[in-house]
Short mmCIF file of all heavy atoms in Angstrom, two decimals:
data_model
loop_
_atom_site.label_atom_id
_atom_site.label_comp_id
_atom_site.label_asym_id
_atom_site.label_seq_id
_atom_site.Cartn_x
_atom_site.Cartn_y
_atom_site.Cartn_z
N LEU A 123 18.78 56.14 -21.25
CA LEU A 123 17.59 56.86 -20.80
C LEU A 123 17.97 58.02 -19.90
O LEU A 123 18.77 57.89 -18.98
CB LEU A 123 16.65 55.93 -20.04
CG LEU A 123 15.81 54.98 -20.88
CD1 LEU A 123 14.93 54.13 -19.98
CD2 LEU A 123 14.95 55.72 -21.88
N GLY A 124 17.39 59.16 -20.19
CA GLY A 124 17.60 60.34 -19.37
C GLY A 124 18.91 61.06 -19.60
O GLY A 124 19.20 62.04 -18.93
N THR A 125 19.72 60.60 -20.55
CA THR A 125 21.03 61.23 -20.76
C THR A 125 21.11 61.99 -22.07
O THR A 125 22.11 62.63 -22.33
CB THR A 125 22.16 60.18 -20.75
OG1 THR A 125 21.91 59.23 -21.79
CG2 THR A 125 22.23 59.48 -19.41
N SER A 126 20.08 61.91 -22.90
CA SER A 126 20.13 62.58 -24.19
C SER A 126 18.77 63.20 -24.50
O SER A 126 17.84 63.12 -23.71
CB SER A 126 20.54 61.59 -25.28
OG SER A 126 19.64 60.51 -25.31
N ASP A 127 18.66 63.79 -25.68
CA ASP A 127 17.40 64.43 -26.06
C ASP A 127 16.35 63.38 -26.41
O ASP A 127 16.63 62.19 -26.52
CB ASP A 127 17.62 65.40 -27.22
CG ASP A 127 18.10 64.71 -28.49
OD1 ASP A 127 18.49 63.53 -28.42
OD2 ASP A 127 18.07 65.34 -29.56
N ARG A 128 15.13 63.83 -26.61
CA ARG A 128 14.00 62.93 -26.84
C ARG A 128 14.18 62.08 -28.09
O ARG A 128 13.87 60.90 -28.08
CB ARG A 128 12.70 63.75 -26.97
CG ARG A 128 12.31 64.43 -25.70
CD ARG A 128 10.99 65.17 -25.87
NE ARG A 128 10.75 66.21 -24.91
CZ ARG A 128 10.60 66.05 -23.61
NH1 ARG A 128 10.70 64.86 -23.09
NH2 ARG A 128 10.38 67.07 -22.82
N THR A 129 14.67 62.68 -29.15
CA THR A 129 14.81 61.92 -30.40
C THR A 129 15.82 60.79 -30.24
O THR A 129 15.58 59.68 -30.72
CB THR A 129 15.30 62.82 -31.55
OG1 THR A 129 15.28 64.19 -31.17
CG2 THR A 129 14.47 62.65 -32.77
N ASN A 130 16.90 61.07 -29.58
CA ASN A 130 17.91 60.05 -29.36
C ASN A 130 17.38 58.94 -28.46
O ASN A 130 17.60 57.75 -28.71
CB ASN A 130 19.16 60.69 -28.75
CG ASN A 130 20.38 59.80 -28.86
OD1 ASN A 130 20.35 58.76 -29.49
ND2 ASN A 130 21.46 60.22 -28.22
N GLN A 131 16.64 59.30 -27.42
CA GLN A 131 16.05 58.30 -26.54
C GLN A 131 15.04 57.44 -27.28
O GLN A 131 15.00 56.22 -27.09
CB GLN A 131 15.39 58.97 -25.33
CG GLN A 131 16.39 59.55 -24.37
CD GLN A 131 15.74 60.12 -23.13
OE1 GLN A 131 15.05 59.40 -22.42
NE2 GLN A 131 15.95 61.40 -22.89
N LYS A 132 14.24 58.07 -28.14
CA LYS A 132 13.28 57.32 -28.93
C LYS A 132 13.98 56.30 -29.82
O LYS A 132 13.53 55.17 -29.96
CB LYS A 132 12.42 58.27 -29.77
CG LYS A 132 11.34 58.97 -28.98
CD LYS A 132 10.58 59.98 -29.81
CE LYS A 132 10.05 59.40 -31.09
NZ LYS A 132 9.26 60.33 -31.90
N SER A 133 15.09 56.71 -30.43
CA SER A 133 15.80 55.79 -31.32
C SER A 133 16.40 54.63 -30.53
O SER A 133 16.41 53.49 -31.01
CB SER A 133 16.87 56.52 -32.12
OG SER A 133 17.93 56.94 -31.29
N HIS A 134 16.88 54.89 -29.32
CA HIS A 134 17.41 53.80 -28.49
C HIS A 134 16.30 52.85 -28.05
O HIS A 134 16.51 51.63 -28.01
CB HIS A 134 18.13 54.37 -27.26
CG HIS A 134 19.46 54.96 -27.59
ND1 HIS A 134 20.55 54.21 -27.99
CD2 HIS A 134 19.89 56.25 -27.59
CE1 HIS A 134 21.58 54.99 -28.21
NE2 HIS A 134 21.21 56.25 -27.97
N ILE A 135 15.14 53.40 -27.74
CA ILE A 135 14.01 52.54 -27.37
C ILE A 135 13.59 51.69 -28.57
O ILE A 135 13.31 50.50 -28.43
CB ILE A 135 12.83 53.38 -26.84
CG1 ILE A 135 13.22 54.00 -25.49
CG2 ILE A 135 11.58 52.53 -26.69
CD1 ILE A 135 12.22 55.01 -24.96
N GLN A 136 13.58 52.28 -29.76
CA GLN A 136 13.23 51.52 -30.96
C GLN A 136 14.24 50.41 -31.21
O GLN A 136 13.86 49.30 -31.62
CB GLN A 136 13.14 52.46 -32.17
CG GLN A 136 11.95 53.37 -32.14
CD GLN A 136 12.01 54.47 -33.20
OE1 GLN A 136 13.01 54.61 -33.91
NE2 GLN A 136 10.96 55.27 -33.29
N SER A 137 15.51 50.67 -30.98
CA SER A 137 16.53 49.63 -31.12
C SER A 137 16.30 48.50 -30.12
O SER A 137 16.44 47.32 -30.45
CB SER A 137 17.92 50.21 -30.91
OG SER A 137 18.22 51.16 -31.89
N ALA A 138 15.95 48.87 -28.89
CA ALA A 138 15.68 47.86 -27.87
C ALA A 138 14.46 47.02 -28.27
O ALA A 138 14.46 45.80 -28.09
CB ALA A 138 15.45 48.53 -26.52
N VAL A 139 13.44 47.67 -28.83
CA VAL A 139 12.24 46.95 -29.26
C VAL A 139 12.59 45.96 -30.36
O VAL A 139 12.13 44.81 -30.35
CB VAL A 139 11.15 47.94 -29.72
CG1 VAL A 139 10.05 47.24 -30.49
CG2 VAL A 139 10.57 48.67 -28.52
N LYS A 140 13.42 46.36 -31.30
CA LYS A 140 13.82 45.45 -32.39
C LYS A 140 14.59 44.25 -31.83
O LYS A 140 14.38 43.11 -32.26
CB LYS A 140 14.64 46.19 -33.43
CG LYS A 140 13.82 47.11 -34.29
CD LYS A 140 14.65 47.83 -35.31
CE LYS A 140 13.77 48.81 -36.08
NZ LYS A 140 14.53 49.68 -36.96
N ALA A 141 15.48 44.50 -30.89
CA ALA A 141 16.24 43.40 -30.29
C ALA A 141 15.31 42.46 -29.53
O ALA A 141 15.46 41.23 -29.59
CB ALA A 141 17.31 43.95 -29.35
N LEU A 142 14.32 43.03 -28.83
CA LEU A 142 13.38 42.19 -28.09
C LEU A 142 12.46 41.41 -29.03
O LEU A 142 12.07 40.28 -28.71
CB LEU A 142 12.55 43.05 -27.14
CG LEU A 142 13.30 43.55 -25.91
CD1 LEU A 142 12.45 44.56 -25.14
CD2 LEU A 142 13.71 42.40 -25.01
N GLU A 143 12.14 41.98 -30.17
CA GLU A 143 11.32 41.25 -31.15
C GLU A 143 12.07 40.02 -31.66
O GLU A 143 11.48 38.96 -31.87
CB GLU A 143 10.90 42.16 -32.29
CG GLU A 143 9.80 43.14 -31.90
CD GLU A 143 9.50 44.18 -32.96
OE1 GLU A 143 10.32 44.37 -33.90
OE2 GLU A 143 8.44 44.83 -32.84
N ALA A 144 13.38 40.16 -31.85
CA ALA A 144 14.19 39.01 -32.27
C ALA A 144 14.21 37.95 -31.16
O ALA A 144 14.09 36.75 -31.44
CB ALA A 144 15.61 39.46 -32.60
N GLU A 145 14.32 38.40 -29.91
CA GLU A 145 14.29 37.46 -28.79
C GLU A 145 12.93 36.79 -28.66
O GLU A 145 12.84 35.61 -28.31
CB GLU A 145 14.66 38.16 -27.48
CG GLU A 145 16.10 38.59 -27.39
CD GLU A 145 17.08 37.45 -27.50
OE1 GLU A 145 16.78 36.33 -27.01
OE2 GLU A 145 18.16 37.65 -28.08
N GLU A 146 11.87 37.54 -28.95
CA GLU A 146 10.53 36.97 -28.90
C GLU A 146 10.36 35.86 -29.94
O GLU A 146 9.79 34.81 -29.65
CB GLU A 146 9.48 38.05 -29.13
CG GLU A 146 8.06 37.52 -29.08
CD GLU A 146 7.02 38.54 -29.50
OE1 GLU A 146 7.38 39.52 -30.18
OE2 GLU A 146 5.85 38.33 -29.16
N ALA A 147 10.88 36.09 -31.13
CA ALA A 147 10.81 35.06 -32.17
C ALA A 147 11.54 33.80 -31.74
O ALA A 147 11.05 32.68 -31.93
CB ALA A 147 11.37 35.60 -33.47
N GLN A 148 12.69 33.99 -31.13
CA GLN A 148 13.46 32.83 -30.64
C GLN A 148 12.71 32.14 -29.50
O GLN A 148 12.69 30.90 -29.43
CB GLN A 148 14.84 33.28 -30.18
CG GLN A 148 15.71 32.14 -29.71
CD GLN A 148 17.08 32.61 -29.25
OE1 GLN A 148 17.41 33.77 -29.34
NE2 GLN A 148 17.86 31.67 -28.77
N ALA A 149 12.09 32.91 -28.62
CA ALA A 149 11.34 32.32 -27.50
C ALA A 149 10.13 31.54 -28.01
O ALA A 149 9.80 30.48 -27.46
CB ALA A 149 10.90 33.42 -26.54
N LEU A 150 9.47 32.04 -29.04
CA LEU A 150 8.34 31.31 -29.63
C LEU A 150 8.80 29.99 -30.24
O LEU A 150 8.13 28.96 -30.13
CB LEU A 150 7.63 32.17 -30.67
CG LEU A 150 6.76 33.29 -30.12
CD1 LEU A 150 6.35 34.24 -31.24
CD2 LEU A 150 5.55 32.73 -29.41
N GLU A 151 9.97 30.04 -30.87
CA GLU A 151 10.53 28.82 -31.45
C GLU A 151 10.87 27.81 -30.36
O GLU A 151 10.57 26.62 -30.48
CB GLU A 151 11.79 29.18 -32.25
CG GLU A 151 12.44 28.02 -32.94
CD GLU A 151 13.68 28.47 -33.70
OE1 GLU A 151 13.59 29.43 -34.50
OE2 GLU A 151 14.74 27.86 -33.47
N GLU A 152 11.47 28.29 -29.26
CA GLU A 152 11.78 27.40 -28.14
C GLU A 152 10.51 26.84 -27.52
O GLU A 152 10.48 25.66 -27.13
CB GLU A 152 12.59 28.15 -27.08
CG GLU A 152 14.02 28.39 -27.46
CD GLU A 152 14.78 29.14 -26.39
OE1 GLU A 152 14.25 29.35 -25.28
OE2 GLU A 152 15.93 29.53 -26.66
N GLN A 153 9.48 27.67 -27.41
CA GLN A 153 8.22 27.20 -26.85
C GLN A 153 7.65 26.08 -27.70
O GLN A 153 7.23 25.05 -27.18
CB GLN A 153 7.21 28.35 -26.76
CG GLN A 153 5.87 27.91 -26.23
CD GLN A 153 4.82 29.01 -26.31
OE1 GLN A 153 5.07 30.09 -26.84
NE2 GLN A 153 3.64 28.72 -25.79
N ALA A 154 7.63 26.28 -29.01
CA ALA A 154 7.08 25.26 -29.90
C ALA A 154 7.89 23.96 -29.82
O ALA A 154 7.35 22.87 -29.91
CB ALA A 154 7.07 25.78 -31.34
N ARG A 155 9.18 24.10 -29.64
CA ARG A 155 10.06 22.93 -29.63
C ARG A 155 10.06 22.20 -28.29
O ARG A 155 10.07 20.97 -28.26
CB ARG A 155 11.49 23.38 -29.96
CG ARG A 155 12.45 22.21 -30.10
CD ARG A 155 13.86 22.63 -30.42
NE ARG A 155 13.89 23.50 -31.59
CZ ARG A 155 14.84 24.39 -31.83
NH1 ARG A 155 15.82 24.53 -30.97
NH2 ARG A 155 14.83 25.14 -32.89
N TYR A 156 10.04 22.94 -27.18
CA TYR A 156 10.30 22.31 -25.89
C TYR A 156 9.11 22.22 -24.95
O TYR A 156 9.20 21.48 -23.96
CB TYR A 156 11.42 23.07 -25.17
CG TYR A 156 12.73 23.04 -25.91
CD1 TYR A 156 13.36 24.22 -26.28
CD2 TYR A 156 13.34 21.84 -26.23
CE1 TYR A 156 14.57 24.21 -26.96
CE2 TYR A 156 14.54 21.81 -26.90
CZ TYR A 156 15.15 23.00 -27.27
OH TYR A 156 16.34 22.98 -27.93
N GLU A 157 8.03 22.93 -25.20
CA GLU A 157 6.93 22.93 -24.23
C GLU A 157 6.31 21.54 -24.08
O GLU A 157 6.21 21.01 -22.97
CB GLU A 157 5.86 23.94 -24.66
CG GLU A 157 4.73 24.06 -23.68
CD GLU A 157 3.69 25.09 -24.11
OE1 GLU A 157 3.66 25.45 -25.29
OE2 GLU A 157 2.92 25.50 -23.24
N LYS A 158 5.91 20.94 -25.17
CA LYS A 158 5.29 19.62 -25.11
C LYS A 158 6.28 18.56 -24.64
O LYS A 158 5.94 17.67 -23.86
CB LYS A 158 4.72 19.26 -26.48
CG LYS A 158 3.92 18.00 -26.48
CD LYS A 158 3.29 17.74 -27.83
CE LYS A 158 2.50 16.46 -27.83
NZ LYS A 158 1.94 16.17 -29.14
#
Side-chain angles (χ1 to χ4, degrees):
L123 283 180
T125 59
S126 58
D127 63 348
R128 293 183 201 295
T129 351
N130 196 7
Q131 288 184 59
K132 283 176 52 178
S133 69
H134 285 291
I135 292 172
Q136 289 169 355
S137 297
V139 166
K140 287 180 184 172
L142 287 171
E143 286 172 344
E145 291 300 325
E146 180 188 20
Q148 182 180 356
L150 285 168
E151 182 180 308
E152 286 179 8
Q153 178 188 4
R155 185 180 307 154
Y156 298 122
E157 183 179 19
K158 187 176 179 182

